[in-house]
Each structure stands twice: as C-alpha cells, then as structure tokens.
Amino acid sequence: MSGKVVLHYFNGRGRMESIRWLLAVAGVQFEEVFFTKKEQFDKLLNDGALTFQQVPLVEIDGMKLVQSKAILNYIAGKYNLYGKDLKERAMIDIYSEGLIDLMEMIIMAPLGPADNIQKTYSSIEEKAKVRFLPVFEKALANSSFLVGKQLSRADVHLLEATLMLQELFPSILATFPKIQAFQEQMKALPAISKFLQPGSARKPPPDEEYVRIVKSVLPHLFK
Amino acid sequence: MSGKVVLHYFNGRGRMESIRWLLAAAGVQFEEVFLTEKEQFDKLLSDGVLTFQQVPLVEIDGMKLVQSKAILNYIAGKYNLYGKDLKERAMIDIYSEGLIDLMGMIIMAPFTPAENKEETFRNIEEKAKVRFLPVFEKALANSSFLVGKQLSRADVHLLEATLMLQELFPSILATFPKIQAFQDQMKALPAISKFLQPGSARKPPPDEEYVRIVKAVLPYRFK
C-alpha cells in the first residue's frame, strides 16, 4: 500500500533528522507535524499512539512507528539501502550503530547543563577524531561506499554525521582525505544535493529556542 | 559457511547477555573468551578487531562483529527470529528497542555511584511499571507471542528483561497476568528451558567482583 508519510516531532533535528535524511535519499516525500506545545504530546500519549511514550513517531504504510532505530531500519529495508545479504547488513549495522552513537552525543549536548557544554564538546571532538573517523577513513580506502560498493544507509549516516561535526569543528576532516572525497561524491548525488539546498526539510543546528521547546513539551525527560 | 561461534566479553551479563540468550534460543553452540585483564582488551584494540574500540565482539561466519545491536540483528536474521516481512520486522524492532533500553538501564545501574543507586533502581521500577510492561501486557492480550503469532527475538528479549526485573523487584509482575502466562509458556520451550538450567552459559546478576573487573579492564570508560 502507499499513502502519505507523516513525521511527528519538533521543528528541529533531534532523533528525527536521520529519518529525514534517509527518506530524502530514498526520494520519498513526507509531511511533518511539529510539536510546539505539551498538549500535542499529551494527546498522542492519551491516544495510545506512542508505544513507549516517546517520539519520533512516523506514520508510514498504515503503521504508526516509534523508536528511531526501528523507523530507520524499516525505511532502509524498504528502499534497498540495507545491503544485498545478511553479512552486508551486519557491516552496515556496525557502521550505522557507531554513527548513531556519535550523532546522539551531538544531539544531546545542547540539552545538558550549560556549565558542562564545553567539556562535552571537547569529549565529542576527541572521540570523533580518535575512535570514529579513523574507522571510516579506513573503510573508504578502497571503495567509494562503505559497504558492498553501493549506496547504503551507512553512507547517508556518515555524510550527515560528518557535516554535523564540521558545524562544530570546521577543520576536523583535515586529516581524513578519504572522508573528504566521500563527502564530495555524496553531495553530488541528486537526492542529496536537493536535500542540502535551502528550502528543503533539512533542519538547522539546535538553538536556544529549540532547546526551550523540547524542555517545555517533554518536561519529564529533564527531571 | 559454518564454524565455531566465539564470544569475547567479561564473565558476566552486560551487553553480551542478550546475545547469549538469542544464540541459546536458536540452538547455537558457542564458546566464550572472558576478559579479565586490561592487556587482553588492549591486545584486541591493537589487533584492530574492535571497530569502535568497544566490546562485545562475536566471531561468527568468518566475521568479527561488534556493536551489540548489529550482532543481535545478524543472529535474529540468520535464525529466523525476525518476522516474515518488513512490517513484522518493524514491530519486532520497536519492541526490541524498548526492551534493550530497559535492560540497558539495569545493566548500567551497578556502575552508578553508591549514593545514587537507590534512586536509580526506583526509577527503573517506575519506568518498567508505567512505560514498558503495560505495552507488552497489551501486545499479549490476543496472542502467545508478541509479533506474527510465532517466536521472534522480541519474545526472547521480553523473557530476559522480565526475569531481570523480577530479580530486583520480585512482585513486579503481580499486576501483569498476560506477561506471567507468557513467561511460563516461554520457559517451557526446550532451548530456553535448557538455558535456564544450572550449568548453562547464562550469567548471574552483576556482583562487586564483576564491577571491579569491568572497571579495571575499561578504566577510560569510568573517568
């Protein structure tokens, strides 16, 4: 079946942004319902639409999916971004889990205590340079894509993550030439090029207003 | 191809336990290499087998897999514990992600500072009763299994998680009769019944010695 895809989340990145990226790469149009008031979230809770009382929520193919990883897995599986066999899928999962962990640190940083934020960003930069980026520099040594010589969700996540890192640490890719070349190649893909243009559904980095809205809609998460 | 399956982790539960459960449910024999000294971990690091410098590590089918979710996904996919189509898989992922989150809280609790421990366990109990268990009580209202009327990884995770909860809060399932019946049905499955017997590869709850060894082998994680 087909029907419109609807994303329920804040008007900001958070845990929905990787889903937006994946849908964009798959060429899937989607609508968005933005949370601005606690009452909207409470209504979803009362309607029983949120399985574990959490967002993101994505309406797709007659289902109401929650849990960002379950949503990403479904989209990747449906749109052939998940490798050609179980072994490729395993490699894609390893890379994707690592990238999601890294992006999670970046996503959560602005929501933490203000006095800690510089230390948090230093830790993220260190981990990115020492633990994460070397893995991908090596994986790209002999191929244009991370797994199976074709585009997969892991590639989309890597582009997203490296662009996020560069927003915070502009010269971070200076010592990673293969990742730089990978970025250029990925940015040239039509669906991604379009998503990177102004006016797309891509969201900006979090600002104080975004943080304020998240904390007012989900106060229980910050007690 | 086939060959032996080797798990590299501490001699304790942690993030490998759900993998042990899934392999046991699938009837797969495995060997274990326990980390007891920092030098063992450092050797794995310098050998380059830990993609993101983390354990668990599982050698299976000629691959060295890391990232517990990637490992679980691979095993579930290989041994037909991941539903019959993309939609069932999505539901299995939603339930599994929720259960892995819940078990993650329990896994990390013994590493919290002593003064925070009581609050941490109270928080886990509250979340289990209010957010998690009601979801599964409802999902089991009309079926013996969570998804697709057949055993999936979600069922294995639910049994594991509920047994863990009962170790901490013995009467927690008193108000969840469907989950209680589910537990009894699952415990009667031969592979699971065997895994629950003394002498199996199932590991006990974490004690002070386990916490000490983890902190000694992975000191950087506790700075």
Side-chain angles (χ1 to χ4, degrees):
Chain A
M1 71 185 297
S2 65
K4 64 184 183 179
V5 176
V6 184
L7 315 189
H8 298 256
Y9 202 67
F10 303 97
N11 187 3
R13 290 183 180 175
R15 291 204 176 80
M16 188 68 89
E17 191 70 354
S18 294
I19 293 164
R20 298 184 183 107
W21 268 90
L22 218 55
L23 287 168
V25 168
V28 177
Q29 293 287 316
F30 55 86
E31 298 178 13
E32 301 199 78
V33 174
F34 295 132
F35 297 137
T36 54
K37 303 257 182 231
K38 188 170 184 303
E39 288 75 22
Q40 290 168 276
F41 179 75
D42 290 344
K43 182 174 191 304
L44 285 176
L45 274 183
N46 294 334
D47 290 350
L50 305 179
T51 307
F52 294 110
Q53 303 175 14
Q54 290 171 336
V55 286
L57 166 65
V58 172
E59 298 179 70
I60 185 169
D61 297 338
M63 299 183 290
K64 288 185 161 80
L65 299 184
V66 295
Q67 295 281 7
S68 52
K69 289 180 183 178
I71 298 165
L72 291 167
N73 289 0
Y74 180 76
I75 296 166
K78 182 176 179 185
Y79 294 102
N80 296 311
L81 291 164
Y82 224 157
K84 70 180 192 297
D85 59 32
L86 271 181
K87 284 191 171 182
E88 285 194 357
R89 185 166 187 139
M91 287 313 302
I92 288 166
D93 276 342
I94 290 173
Y95 292 140
S96 299
E97 283 292 319
L99 289 161
I100 288 166
D101 285 350
L102 175 57
M103 288 191 280
E104 174 80 5
M105 293 181 233
I106 299 172
I107 286 165
M108 292 308 294
L111 298 161
D115 49 298
N116 240 25
I117 214 157
Q118 272 319 309
K119 181 177 167 186
T120 299
Y121 282 123
S122 294
S123 168
I124 291 172
E125 184 174 18
E126 175 72 12
K127 280 176 177 164
K129 284 167 139 174
V130 172
R131 187 190 300 180
F132 291 97
L133 294 173
V135 166
F136 298 107
E137 186 72 7
K138 182 178 173 185
L140 293 166
N142 298 304
S143 175
S144 300
F145 299 106
L146 287 171
V147 179
K149 300 193 195 305
Q150 67 181 356
L151 185 73
S152 77
R153 68 180 280 195
D155 300 303
V156 181
H157 297 331
L158 179 57
L159 177 61
E160 182 189 3
T162 48
L163 291 174
M164 286 171 92
L165 285 171
Q166 284 177 310
E167 286 165 350
L168 295 169
F169 320 108
S171 61
I172 194 168
L173 293 187
T175 52
F176 299 100
K178 293 291 198 299
I179 296 178
Q180 288 184 55
F182 165 85
Q183 268 197 349
E184 296 310 314
Q185 166 198 284
M186 288 287 289
K187 287 177 182 176
L189 298 178
I192 288 176
S193 173
K194 183 177 172 188
F195 190 63
L196 291 171
Q197 294 299 312
S200 79
R202 188 178 179 221
K203 302 294 181 272
D207 58 14
E208 285 179 11
E209 178 65 2
Y210 174 76
V211 172
R212 185 190 68 75
I213 291 175
V214 172
K215 287 186 172 179
S216 69
V217 175
L218 305 175
H220 60 285
L221 275 182
F222 298 95
K223 284 169 185 166
Chain B
M1 71 185 294
S2 66
K4 64 183 183 179
V5 177
V6 184
L7 316 189
H8 298 257
Y9 201 68
F10 304 98
N11 186 4
R13 290 183 179 175
R15 295 190 191 285
M16 188 67 87
E17 191 69 354
S18 294
I19 293 164
R20 297 185 183 107
W21 268 90
L22 215 57
L23 288 168
V28 178
Q29 292 287 316
F30 54 87
E31 298 179 13
E32 301 199 78
V33 173
F34 296 132
L35 304 175
T36 55
E37 307 284 345
K38 188 170 183 302
E39 287 74 21
Q40 288 169 277
F41 180 75
D42 289 345
K43 183 174 191 303
L44 289 175
L45 274 183
S46 50
D47 288 352
V49 298
L50 302 180
T51 308
F52 294 110
Q53 303 175 13
Q54 290 171 336
V55 285
L57 164 67
V58 171
E59 298 179 68
I60 186 169
D61 297 338
M63 298 183 290
K64 291 184 161 79
L65 299 183
V66 295
Q67 296 281 7
S68 52
K69 289 180 184 178
I71 298 164
L72 291 166
N73 289 359
Y74 180 76
I75 295 165
K78 182 176 179 186
Y79 294 103
N80 296 310
L81 291 165
Y82 225 156
K84 70 180 190 297
D85 58 32
L86 270 181
K87 285 191 171 182
E88 285 195 357
R89 185 168 186 138
M91 287 314 301
I92 289 166
D93 276 342
I94 289 173
Y95 291 140
S96 298
E97 282 292 319
L99 290 161
I100 288 166
D101 284 351
L102 175 58
M103 289 191 280
M105 292 181 235
I106 299 173
I107 286 165
M108 291 310 294
F111 295 96
T112 55
E115 64 268 19
N116 279 3
K117 237 166 202 120
E118 275 315 306
E119 185 190 0
T120 297
F121 282 116
R122 209 165 37 246
N123 185 48
I124 291 171
E125 184 175 19
E126 175 71 13
K127 280 183 173 154
K129 284 165 137 174
V130 172
R131 187 190 298 180
F132 291 98
L133 295 172
V135 167
F136 298 107
E137 187 72 7
K138 182 178 172 185
L140 293 166
N142 298 304
S143 175
S144 300
F145 299 106
L146 287 170
V147 179
K149 301 194 195 304
Q150 66 181 356
L151 184 74
S152 76
R153 68 180 280 195
D155 300 303
V156 180
H157 297 331
L158 179 57
L159 178 61
E160 182 190 3
T162 49
L163 291 174
M164 285 171 94
L165 284 170
Q166 284 177 310
E167 285 164 350
L168 296 168
F169 320 107
S171 61
I172 194 168
L173 293 187
T175 52
F176 299 99
K178 294 290 198 298
I179 297 178
Q180 288 185 54
F182 165 85
Q183 266 197 350
D184 289 332
Q185 165 198 284
M186 288 287 291
K187 287 176 182 175
L189 297 177
I192 286 175
S193 174
K194 183 177 173 187
F195 190 62
L196 290 171
Q197 295 299 313
S200 80
R202 187 176 179 222
K203 302 293 182 272
D207 58 14
E208 284 179 11
E209 177 66 1
Y210 173 77
V211 171
R212 186 192 68 76
I213 290 174
V214 174
K215 288 185 172 178
V217 175
L218 305 176
Y220 67 87
R221 294 214 65 179
F222 298 95
K223 285 168 184 166

